[in-house]
Amino acid sequence: MPAHVAIIMDGNGRWARRQNLGRIEGHKQGRQAVETVVDTCREVGIAYLTLYAFSTENWQRPVTEVRALMALLQRYLRSERQHMLEKNIRLRAIGDLQRLPVPVRAALEEIMQATQANTGLTVCLALSYGAREEIVQAARVLATAVQNGQLDPGDITEQAFARALWTTDIPDPDFLIRTSGEFRLSNFLLWQSAYAELYVSETLWPDFTRAEFLSALEVYQSRERRFGRTTEQRGSPPDLARATRG
Ligand code: IPE
Ligand code: IPE
Ligand code: MG
């Protein structure tokens, strides 16, 4: 089983259009699929699930859609709080959370605090998330530490850089799923996905089922992860920093 599954939940708008509904209805319907993958991760023992829910670029959508998405997010958080506590789920969030409406951020922060000590599945929501922004932000953190004399430039290793990312203590995703048939990353976990296995499903996110998730996990299990080595040498991920030094 992958330790960390990351999902680009795409296709809500197209799902709605096919049903002759407005885009917002597609986002509402997408919630069912979120609950399904969360439950399935718990069932099969996946430790981390990262869900791309709203990108930096998504702020450019029509104001009405952005507002509706934020309202749905708030409703989701409010109604899932108890479930997360009961199911031993730990909630995390990555992204420029300062940009989120105050009530959404407050709800997020409260639940992250309340579920902090939970030891089951970690659900990480990527909200107002952009990987390039995350990387630039990490560079700024490290540059400031150097400027303040707290860090030597020679100590900026891959490990130090990874620690300065929003995903700081979350392991890299092993398996990255995108629904709706698009073959692109759309600014999602660019650093962290260096060796993720990719899987594109034609299914639109609201139609993504437990059965399809399980069959995707079977595909993952059939992949050979070589991390740059040969089939004969295959094993655990190499120390990328050491690989660079040769
Ligand atoms: C994914 O569905 C949800 C978000 C990006 C918030 P879309 O809204 O992108 O759906 P399509 O791609 O238009 O079908
Ligand atoms: C990616 O989907 C972001 C989320 C799923 C939250 P988009 O629908 O925004 O991506 P593009 O615009 O098709 O690349
Ligand atoms: Mg889309």
Side-chain angles (χ1 to χ4, degrees):
M1 274 299 159
H4 183 178
V5 175
I7 307 182
I8 303 176
M9 310 182 288
D10 198 11
N12 295 350
R14 277 161 285 170
W15 181 91
R17 183 135 107 210
R18 280 186 201 172
Q19 324 280 322
N20 273 315
L21 298 168
R23 296 181 54 82
I24 316 293
E25 288 307 312
H27 298 312
K28 278 190 192 154
Q29 199 62 33
R31 176 166 169 179
Q32 183 54 51
V34 170
E35 282 165 27
T36 300
V37 292
V38 168
D39 289 342
T40 310
C41 282
R42 294 183 51 244
E43 185 191 323
V44 302
I46 286 163
Y48 294 87
L49 172 68
T50 297
L51 298 171
Y52 202 8
F54 194 85
S55 73
T56 309
E57 291 73 24
N58 289 150
W59 288 114
Q60 300 167 67
R61 291 192 179 191
V63 194
T64 47
E65 181 167 346
V66 170
R67 277 208 198 114
L69 280 165
M70 291 301 147
L72 285 171
L73 177 59
Q74 199 178 338
R75 199 187 302 169
Y76 169 79
L77 290 171
R78 199 178 302 149
S79 69
E80 282 303 296
R81 184 185 186 280
Q82 199 51 37
H83 182 246
M84 290 182 193
L85 287 168
E86 282 162 12
K87 303 288 155 85
N88 196 22
I89 291 171
R90 185 167 67 132
L91 184 72
R92 285 278 306 259
I94 51 171
D96 182 4
L97 307 182
Q98 301 299 321
R99 273 183 91 174
L100 297 173
V102 174
V104 172
R105 208 169 75 217
L108 253 184
E109 272 159 13
E110 193 279 324
I111 302 176
M112 288 195 283
Q113 180 76 28
T115 61
Q116 193 172 234
N118 285 355
T119 52
L121 172 68
T122 295
V123 174
C124 176
L125 299 179
L127 295 169
S128 187
Y129 176 86
R132 286 186 168 182
E133 191 179 339
E134 177 184 35
I135 291 168
V136 167
Q137 163 291 135
R140 211 178 287 127
V141 166
L142 296 169
T144 306
V146 169
Q147 191 177 39
N148 296 341
Q150 296 154 330
L151 184 72
D152 188 86
D155 293 333
I156 302 178
T157 57
E158 289 189 18
Q159 286 76 10
F161 203 94
R163 272 196 304 274
L165 296 169
W166 290 321
T167 46
T168 184
D169 54 353
I170 298 174
D172 288 343
D174 301 293
F175 195 35
L176 175 54
I177 298 174
R178 182 167 190 151
T179 57
S180 87
E182 309 287 5
F183 284 75
R184 57 176 171 266
L185 291 173
S186 301
N187 205 11
F188 187 48
L189 300 178
L190 298 182
W191 169 285
Q192 298 87 340
S193 296
Y195 267 101
E197 292 296 326
L198 309 181
Y199 181 92
V200 173
S201 160
E202 290 296 325
T203 305
L204 302 175
W205 178 248
D207 288 333
F208 196 71
T209 59
R210 176 178 178 276
E212 187 172 358
F213 187 35
L214 292 175
S215 91
L217 290 169
E218 266 178 45
V219 170
Y220 171 84
Q221 287 170 332
S222 72
R223 300 271 180 93
E224 187 191 26
R225 303 188 76 192
R226 289 187 292 273
F227 300 102
R229 299 178 212 188
T230 67
T231 296
E232 292 67 34
Q233 294 175 304
R234 164 182 64 134
S236 50
D239 178 345
L240 291 177
R242 213 176 64 209
T244 322
R245 285 195 300 272

